[in-house]
Amino acid sequence: MKNLHSIMLDKEKCKGCTNCIKRCPTEAIRVRNSKARIIDQRCIDCGECIRTCPYHAKYAITDSLEEINKFQYKIALPAPSFYAQFEVDDVNKLLYALLELGFDDVFEVAKAAEIVTYFTKQFILSEKNKKPIISSACPAVVRLIQTKFPDLIENILPIASPMEVAAYIAKKKIQREKGIEEDKIGAFFISPCAAKMTYVNSPLGFERSYVDGVIAIKDVYGLVRSKLREIKDIKPLSIASGKGIGWAASGGESLALEIEEYVNVDGIHNVAKVLEEIENGRLKDIVYFEGLACSGGCVGGPLAVENPYVAKNRIKRLSSKLKDKEESLSAWTEEIINSFSLKLEDVLFEKELETNPVLELDSDIERAMEKFEKVNNILSMLPGLDCGACGSPTCKTLAEDIVRGFANDTDCIFILRENIKELANKMVELSNKLPPSLERNDE
Amino acid sequence: MLLELEFEIEPGNFILAGEASSKIKETLKKLGVKPEILKKVAIVSYEAEMNIVIHSVGGILKAIISKDKIEVIAQDNGPGIEDIELAMKEGYSTAPEEIRNLGFGAGMGLPNMKKYSDYFEIDSQKGKGTRVYMIIYNK
């Protein structure tokens, strides 16, 4: 499985501490030569290491704002969480500020989220699905499932993410309205999230992405703020309702579905815990599972600026403010769906999600069993302190790394010390032994 | 080659409940067992473990993994099942109210174990204990 991740390491800043390796949910980081190293195929881009690193040595690659100039017509696709970054009571101001940055048009991902909700409701009613249906909106969670919970892949909602739907509709709309060819239109996601960048490079469930670039919220934050001060007249650009905007915070997606039997979980480690329970067949009565890698949901994304709890409150305020206009705003959703005659089939995954078998010890089960025994044997010799000094997150991972041939038992400082002690004892012993020419046993 | 995993299960300990089946599951993932098979083993071992936690005075959960099959054995030390036929009925449960309030003991444990295993055998003697033996073929 192709999984070129977007999270990178600034070697200058990395101190080779073990904070990141401990927090990584897929054990994708090792410390080698005093620097963290990310194992490409294991990384799910959840951004946990970006948040954990005390030296800010982890960062996500995203596109710069200049990238948009490669296209004749530039569309900004602001994530719902973008709205929560600024203390602004009118969404239109924010969208207008994006135009001021050089975009020709905006299409709200929040509106696309409502369209996704519309089709998800249809999917829930269809017979084919496996319960609980697991949201596919968070690409890091989808990759977590592909890597650690392969048996839950069939529960994943096979519907395009709001970002993707937004890019698709925005491009079709401009093509139709302005007669501009599709490849001359650039759609750029204004993102709180590193995993979306990876998604654009290697999409989940689709052959290609309609998104041309991902720009970090933090990279436009300052610019937008300064533009906001200048804006005088407000143009009506926003068509998203509170339900779509609500997707920015954990639980918003489920709330929009208007069902009672849902569970929403945020934080990648919490998500993993609940996925375990789903695996055990414990959450059978739950219809929908919304799992988001970041604490608080997308508002807590590693590329967002505002404190996630403050941001969450803003989302709540914006959503309830738009409540009065709910009917006219949901009419917009239907108008878009009808004008492009969109059907459930149009937003369904084109291809099945694959498992990412990087955690397997071997592709051959018998050989994997042998390796498993070896891992256990080595593990019994390790101290079990999970100190991380060897560069692997736990003693168990070190044991696996040894069996896979990536590490040695002497990487463990305790084993090394033990060996040195033995050696030292032997040296003392040898130093006490005199050569026969000097031996005086006859005394 | 055989891999044997054995866990002691504490009765009434809901904090630890599920840990043994988690470990079995994790092992199968490391071995690259197919998702369909993994799912079945996950459910039967979890249900078996929960039954020991809820109903017994303690016991063991065992998984014997070979290339072609996974055997799951749950053996407890009592008190045994009075009427096995009745216990096998969906929805029938002898779990006390407080356990049901925790979301367990819905009377689906044994029926689920039977449903998701390829071979199912249950032995129980009142006052002695219960042994459930299940096979899931790895094909």
Side-chain angles (χ1 to χ4, degrees):
Chain A
M1 196 180 81
K2 204 168 74 179
N3 187 14
L4 294 165
H5 64 82
S6 314
I7 291 172
M8 293 285 143
L9 179 82
D10 183 337
K11 281 197 171 168
E12 297 284 301
K13 290 183 180 168
C14 179
K15 294 260 193 283
C17 75
T18 51
N19 285 299
C20 61
I21 62 174
K22 296 251 164 229
R23 291 288 298 171
C24 175
T26 53
E27 297 169 336
I29 317 176
R30 302 287 183 278
V31 175
R32 294 285 180 266
N33 300 323
S34 295
K35 302 287 167 203
R37 191 186 292 170
I38 305 169
I39 304 168
D40 213 35
Q41 299 88 336
R42 285 193 178 207
C43 174
I44 57 167
D45 290 281
C46 64
E48 199 62 18
C49 56
I50 297 183
R51 264 187 286 265
T52 320
C53 180
Y55 307 103
H56 309 291
K58 298 283 195 331
Y59 64 97
I61 333 175
T62 45
D63 295 305
S64 69
L65 188 57
E66 283 83 62
E67 288 287 308
I68 68 170
N69 298 319
K70 285 186 183 160
F71 294 87
Q72 186 194 327
Y73 198 89
K74 313 141 183 87
I75 312 168
L77 311 171
S81 52
F82 174 74
Y83 304 147
Q85 307 299 309
F86 310 92
E87 217 166 321
V88 169
D89 52 355
D90 192 339
V91 170
N92 290 305
K93 269 192 203 166
L94 290 169
L95 301 181
Y96 192 74
L98 286 174
L99 296 183
E100 290 280 289
L101 294 189
F103 287 101
D104 299 299
D105 213 335
V106 285
F107 191 90
E108 297 172 276
V109 174
K111 181 50 56 186
E114 288 161 54
I115 293 166
V116 170
T117 299
Y118 175 93
F119 288 117
T120 305
K121 281 182 182 170
Q122 285 184 13
F123 183 81
I124 290 175
L125 295 175
S126 74
E127 294 288 304
K128 284 177 284 186
N129 58 57
K130 292 236 162 155
K131 302 266 170 28
I133 299 164
I134 300 173
S135 165
S136 54
C138 176
V141 169
V142 173
R143 288 195 197 276
L144 178 75
I145 292 170
Q146 286 176 295
T147 311
K148 275 183 102 169
F149 302 96
D151 50 322
L152 296 179
I153 286 181
E154 52 183 6
N155 293 60
I156 294 174
L157 177 75
I159 289 183
S161 68
M163 172 187 82
E164 205 51 44
V165 172
Y168 174 82
I169 293 173
K171 281 188 171 175
K172 292 276 176 241
K173 196 164 155 266
I174 297 306
Q175 237 180 311
R176 187 188 280 179
E177 286 171 8
K178 317 246 172 192
I180 302 171
E181 285 165 59
E182 203 194 293
D183 57 353
K184 295 203 167 104
I185 307 169
F188 289 84
F189 183 55
I190 312 295
S191 178
C193 167
K196 287 288 188 192
M197 184 78 210
T198 315
Y199 176 97
V200 170
N201 291 333
S202 62
L204 301 162
F206 292 91
E207 291 297 339
R208 56 159 285 197
S209 169
Y210 281 88
V211 180
D212 299 289
V214 175
I215 298 170
I217 286 180
K218 70 176 176 58
D219 290 344
V220 293
Y221 178 77
L223 289 168
V224 172
R225 275 197 78 141
S226 61
K227 295 286 177 206
L228 281 174
R229 263 181 261 134
E230 296 160 18
I231 296 167
K232 295 270 153 13
D233 56 335
I234 301 166
K235 293 193 176 73
L237 291 165
S238 175
I239 51 169
S241 81
K243 285 201 179 105
I245 293 172
W247 272 58
S250 174
E253 181 189 350
S254 303
L255 215 60
L257 282 173
E258 293 165 319
I259 50 170
E260 276 179 20
E261 303 80 10
Y262 71 83
V263 168
N264 74 282
V265 181
D266 55 339
I268 194 77
H269 294 282
N270 299 331
V271 170
K273 260 187 213 155
V274 183
L275 287 175
E276 263 242 43
E277 295 208 24
I278 294 177
E279 230 174 22
N280 291 338
R282 265 216 74 196
L283 277 78
K284 272 193 295 271
D285 303 334
I286 295 300
V287 173
Y288 201 74
F289 174 76
E290 176 191 341
L292 298 171
C294 296
S295 171
C298 303
V299 285
L303 308 179
V305 176
E306 187 57 278
N307 173 301
Y309 303 99
V310 173
K312 199 168 179 176
N313 184 46
R314 284 206 192 123
I315 288 294
K316 210 175 82 192
R317 258 194 322 203
L318 274 177
S319 294
S320 62
K321 207 175 163 193
L322 287 165
K323 256 218 169 96
D324 316 332
K325 292 198 234 161
E326 204 93 287
E327 257 173 59
S328 62
L329 289 168
S330 66
W332 265 106
T333 313
E334 268 161 52
E335 198 191 310
I336 293 169
I337 289 167
N338 292 335
S339 81
F340 291 96
S341 35
L342 280 178
K343 283 179 213 65
L344 177 61
E345 294 81 61
D346 300 322
V347 292
L348 285 180
F349 282 2
E350 286 167 356
K351 54 174 192 179
E352 276 177 36
L353 292 169
E354 297 159 20
T355 61
N356 180 18
V358 283
L359 302 181
E360 280 176 18
L361 287 166
D362 203 290
S363 54
D364 176 85
I365 185 164
E366 294 242 281
R367 232 177 286 156
M369 283 163 76
E370 281 165 26
K371 287 185 181 172
F372 185 83
E373 291 231 303
K374 276 188 198 153
V375 168
N376 281 345
N377 287 339
I378 296 169
L379 192 58
S380 66
M381 319 224 276
L382 296 174
L385 288 175
D386 295 341
C387 68
C390 60
S392 298
T394 60
C395 291
K396 194 167 188 194
T397 334
L398 174 64
E400 281 177 25
D401 285 350
I402 294 170
V403 170
R404 288 175 202 267
F406 304 136
N408 293 309
D409 57 353
T410 46
D411 293 351
C412 171
I413 54 162
F414 297 92
I415 290 193
L416 184 69
R417 243 164 99 154
E418 205 53 46
N419 287 358
I420 290 172
K421 194 174 137 195
E422 255 170 55
L423 193 64
N425 285 342
K426 212 162 245 169
M427 279 167 78
V428 171
E429 206 178 291
L430 281 173
S431 68
N432 286 333
K433 277 186 183 157
L434 290 167
S437 57
L438 297 176
E439 265 179 333
R440 300 237 166 105
N441 286 337
D442 48 339
E443 270 180 39
Chain B
M1 185 174 181
L2 286 180
L3 260 187
E4 239 184 88
L5 308 172
E6 193 180 310
F7 305 93
E8 220 164 288
I9 311 296
E10 249 184 75
N13 191 335
F14 286 92
I15 304 288
L16 294 181
E19 220 166 72
S21 37
S22 262
K23 285 193 177 134
I24 294 173
K25 220 161 52 180
E26 201 193 318
T27 306
L28 295 177
K29 285 177 189 172
K30 295 268 181 219
L31 300 180
V33 168
K34 277 197 234 102
E36 314 85 90
I37 310 294
L38 182 73
K39 181 164 260 168
K40 288 182 178 179
V41 180
I43 293 173
V44 305
S45 58
Y46 180 76
E47 294 285 11
E49 183 176 359
M50 288 319 292
N51 267 359
I52 299 179
V53 174
I54 299 169
H55 300 286
S56 85
V57 296
I60 54 156
L61 181 70
K62 202 153 123 181
I64 304 167
I65 306 162
S66 61
K67 192 181 173 191
D68 314 306
K69 62 177 190 273
I70 298 133
E71 296 158 89
V72 180
I73 301 143
Q75 171 111 48
D76 69 46
N77 310 320
I81 300 167
E82 202 158 337
D83 187 337
I84 293 180
E85 212 178 305
L86 198 57
M88 289 304 299
K89 276 196 181 138
E90 288 189 11
Y92 176 81
S93 173
T94 54
E97 191 62 30
E98 66 262 30
I99 302 254
R100 287 173 196 241
N101 287 344
L102 289 169
F104 301 104
M108 292 303 291
L110 286 172
N112 267 343
M113 285 186 242
K114 192 174 177 188
K115 187 176 158 192
Y116 288 102
S117 54
D118 298 315
Y119 176 81
F120 178 90
E121 190 187 283
I122 181 165
D123 266 317
S124 188
Q125 260 183 308
K126 180 114 181 73
K128 290 224 170 109
T130 304
R131 182 179 185 271
V132 185
Y133 174 72
M134 294 168 281
I135 303 175
I136 286 134
Y137 290 105
N138 185 24
K139 43 185 181 228

